[in-house]
Amino acid sequence: MQGTAFALGEEISLRTVSFRLWEAMWIKYDLTAVNLSLDNWTTIKYLNADGTDFSDEIGQLPADRGGLYMFSINCPIIPGRTEFPAYIGRAKLTDGQNLRKRCREYFTKYSREDERPKITRLFSYWSKELYLSFIALDENDQIVDFEAKLINSLLLPFNDLIPDKVIRDAVKAF
């Protein structure tokens, strides 16, 4: 971090993300079929202390299940109150996909490339503070449905593809 106000302002600007906090979107989609309380999710430190490789906790991701996952940026200043959800994703269980494989792809494939610029940005600025929460689910249809509902209702800053066309168009317009 530079000592000038301009340099500090530039750094702050690069790390600014928008959150859309609107109750009507939170209650619009029925997510009661599964208890999505964070008590039912497992949260792990995604990368090691210097952000250059996976943490030892990555082995907790199941290789035989599908489910939902959420990246969050965790600030240690007020633990439990300064954790910012950043991205929601899904992993269906197929011959070529599972929770462990899908979650590992973000660091191995997207963290240093321009294929998904928002994901690259997430890793570039917050890799040391990145946590991953996941919940294993058994039905692929349910996984796809819940991911779409969560993305539509939370509109997290690093999710590019908003499934609902009306919401997607509204976000693009403003």
Side-chain angles (χ1 to χ4, degrees):
M1 187 163 45
Q2 301 290 336
T4 69
F6 178 81
L8 178 59
E10 186 174 43
E11 290 296 323
I12 289 170
S13 177
L14 290 171
R15 286 157 179 78
T16 300
V17 295
S18 296
F19 287 90
R20 297 164 182 101
L21 305 173
W22 188 27
E23 179 194 17
M25 296 304 291
W26 302 339
I27 61 175
K28 181 178 178 177
Y29 299 95
D30 179 21
L31 289 161
T32 58
V34 170
N35 182 351
L36 292 175
S37 164
L38 276 182
D39 294 339
N40 295 326
W41 296 62
T42 301
T43 299
I44 62 171
K45 178 89 169 73
Y46 188 65
L47 299 176
N48 61 14
D50 60 5
T52 59
D53 203 353
F54 293 108
S55 78
D56 293 338
E57 298 175 58
I58 201 77
Q60 293 181 40
L61 284 160
D64 61 348
R65 303 284 302 273
L68 300 171
Y69 53 89
M70 177 176 59
F71 284 104
S72 61
I73 302 162
N74 292 12
C75 168
I77 293 175
I78 306 173
R81 294 289 180 240
T82 50
E83 298 166 356
F84 303 94
Y87 181 88
I88 293 273
R90 71 161 189 262
K92 295 191 295 185
L93 181 61
T94 66
D95 289 338
Q97 195 65 265
N98 59 61
L99 263 171
R100 183 180 298 170
K101 182 177 181 196
R102 182 68 183 131
C103 291
R104 290 178 62 93
E105 284 177 350
Y106 283 86
F107 182 66
T108 58
K109 185 173 181 181
Y110 303 126
S111 67
R112 297 177 197 94
E113 298 177 12
D114 287 336
E115 184 174 335
R116 296 187 62 186
K118 283 188 175 181
I119 299 301
T120 303
R121 180 177 176 215
L122 179 66
F123 280 90
S124 294
Y125 294 141
W126 297 285
S127 61
K128 295 177 188 176
E129 296 84 22
L130 207 55
Y131 281 74
L132 178 75
S133 300
F134 63 91
I135 184 169
L137 299 171
D138 293 321
E139 297 179 32
N140 284 338
D141 291 341
Q142 185 181 57
I143 292 167
V144 171
D145 180 53
F146 278 16
E147 181 209 28
K149 288 176 178 179
L150 284 168
I151 290 171
N152 287 329
S153 62
L154 297 174
L155 299 172
L156 295 179
F158 292 92
N159 280 99
D160 269 339
L161 302 176
I162 300 170
D164 184 282
K165 182 181 178 354
V166 173
I167 297 169
R168 182 174 57 247
D169 289 347
V171 168
K172 283 182 184 178
F174 291 91

